[in-house]
Amino acid sequence: MSSRHDDIANDLRHQITTGRIKPGERLPSETGLADRFKVSTVTLRKALAVLQSEGLVEKIHGKGNFVRRSLRKIVYVGGWGTLDPWTAAEAALRVSVRSNTVQADGPLTTLFKVPQGSPLTEFICISHEGESPHGLARIYVPSDLAPAGILDHEPSRREAVTRFAIVSVPPAAVRETVCARPPTSDEASSLRSDPTAPVLTITRVATDAAGRVVEVALLVFPGNRVEGVFTTHPMTDERLAQA
């Protein structure tokens, strides 16, 4: 037997999928919807949370609940310089980038294999499709390797955020670790996502020929709208002889 909030979610879902409530349209206030369905606002919010977790409804702080517009699926293609996960070449997608100087601590000291307090340059990238956040990336580079003026030069900036890569020289090795988990409160806020809906995280560590870590990228995507593609090239006898 379905619960009352499931019945409400089913009703609203039907109105959305049949076009009675249009993409981008604001839903009535939570109080108004609760009165209409003759339930408490707590029950009504549970119904909305179901639709938010499905990606049908987006809650924008201070504005209300809106029907999400149809968004492109995010495809993450693993490897250095071979990805276009935000479809960043398309004009409809807007990517904001800001940089800070930070000191390595906690996990960053382990990932970079450097002492605590080592200077790093942090690049925070958030992509938006319309008003909806599309993905979040925090990219860290040792301060002595951070390219000067990359944010001021539009072609370089766009290439960097498209590849999630600030260092331009291809590294000798890249290790990518993929994990699904609940978002942190900051991630859920940045992505405007349901804090109970899982996100896909990718930690990418790039090293040079000497084994130095030259870049760490911490990527976060909404779990219900992302696919990861990883291609392996088996070692042939010829390639083994060259190795």
Side-chain angles (χ1 to χ4, degrees):
M1 183 176 178
S2 62
S3 64
R4 186 68 180 115
H5 78 265
D6 283 329
D7 292 338
I8 296 169
N10 290 337
D11 186 304
L12 292 173
R13 186 187 298 108
H14 179 72
Q15 293 186 58
I16 292 170
T17 56
T18 58
R20 289 180 59 190
I21 307 177
K22 306 294 184 185
E25 185 175 338
R26 182 182 182 276
L27 297 179
S29 68
E30 293 180 357
T31 302
L33 284 173
D35 289 343
R36 177 188 300 180
F37 288 106
K38 296 180 172 56
V39 295
S40 68
T41 54
V42 173
T43 299
L44 188 280
R45 286 170 183 160
K46 287 182 180 179
L48 292 176
V50 171
L51 300 178
Q52 289 162 4
S53 68
E54 295 174 357
L56 290 175
V57 170
E58 175 183 19
K59 184 169 186 176
I60 301 178
H61 182 69
K63 294 184 178 181
N65 292 284
F66 293 79
V67 177
R68 275 188 182 270
R69 300 182 187 277
S70 180
L71 300 176
R72 289 185 294 263
K73 189 121 182 173
I74 304 164
V75 178
Y76 178 88
V77 184
W80 184 267
T82 61
L83 56 150
D84 191 10
W86 286 345
T87 321
E90 298 194 20
L93 204 70
R94 174 172 53 87
V95 181
S96 62
V97 186
R98 68 180 190 273
S99 64
N100 306 292
T101 299
V102 298
Q103 294 182 333
D105 63 357
L108 288 176
T109 60
T110 302
L111 291 169
F112 275 100
K113 302 176 183 177
V114 295
Q116 184 164 330
S118 298
L120 302 172
T121 300
E122 174 189 56
F123 297 86
I124 301 175
C125 312
I126 302 177
S127 68
H128 292 80
E129 187 173 355
E131 294 298 320
S132 299
H134 212 258
L136 170 67
R138 291 184 173 87
I139 305 171
Y140 298 88
V141 179
S143 292
D144 62 310
L145 297 180
I150 190 170
L151 300 186
D152 301 325
H153 186 237
E154 180 58 25
S156 298
R157 174 181 177 276
R158 198 162 190 80
E159 180 187 359
V161 299
T162 300
R163 295 190 302 113
F164 297 118
I166 299 299
V167 175
S168 59
V169 179
V174 175
R175 186 181 77 248
E176 292 166 300
T177 305
V178 182
C179 175
R181 59 165 174 75
T184 66
S185 58
D186 285 345
E187 290 166 351
S189 177
S190 295
L191 295 172
R192 295 182 193 163
S193 62
D194 180 353
T196 65
V199 293
L200 183 72
T201 69
I202 300 172
T203 300
R204 195 182 68 214
V205 179
T207 55
D208 64 14
R212 181 188 182 187
V213 176
V214 294
E215 184 173 276
V216 169
L218 308 178
L219 317 177
V220 183
F221 303 106
N224 62 348
R225 288 201 305 107
V226 63
E227 292 179 351
V229 178
F230 299 87
T231 302
T232 301
H233 299 283
M235 292 290 284
T236 64
D237 291 341
E238 180 182 352
R239 292 178 66 191
L240 284 169
Q242 293 174 349

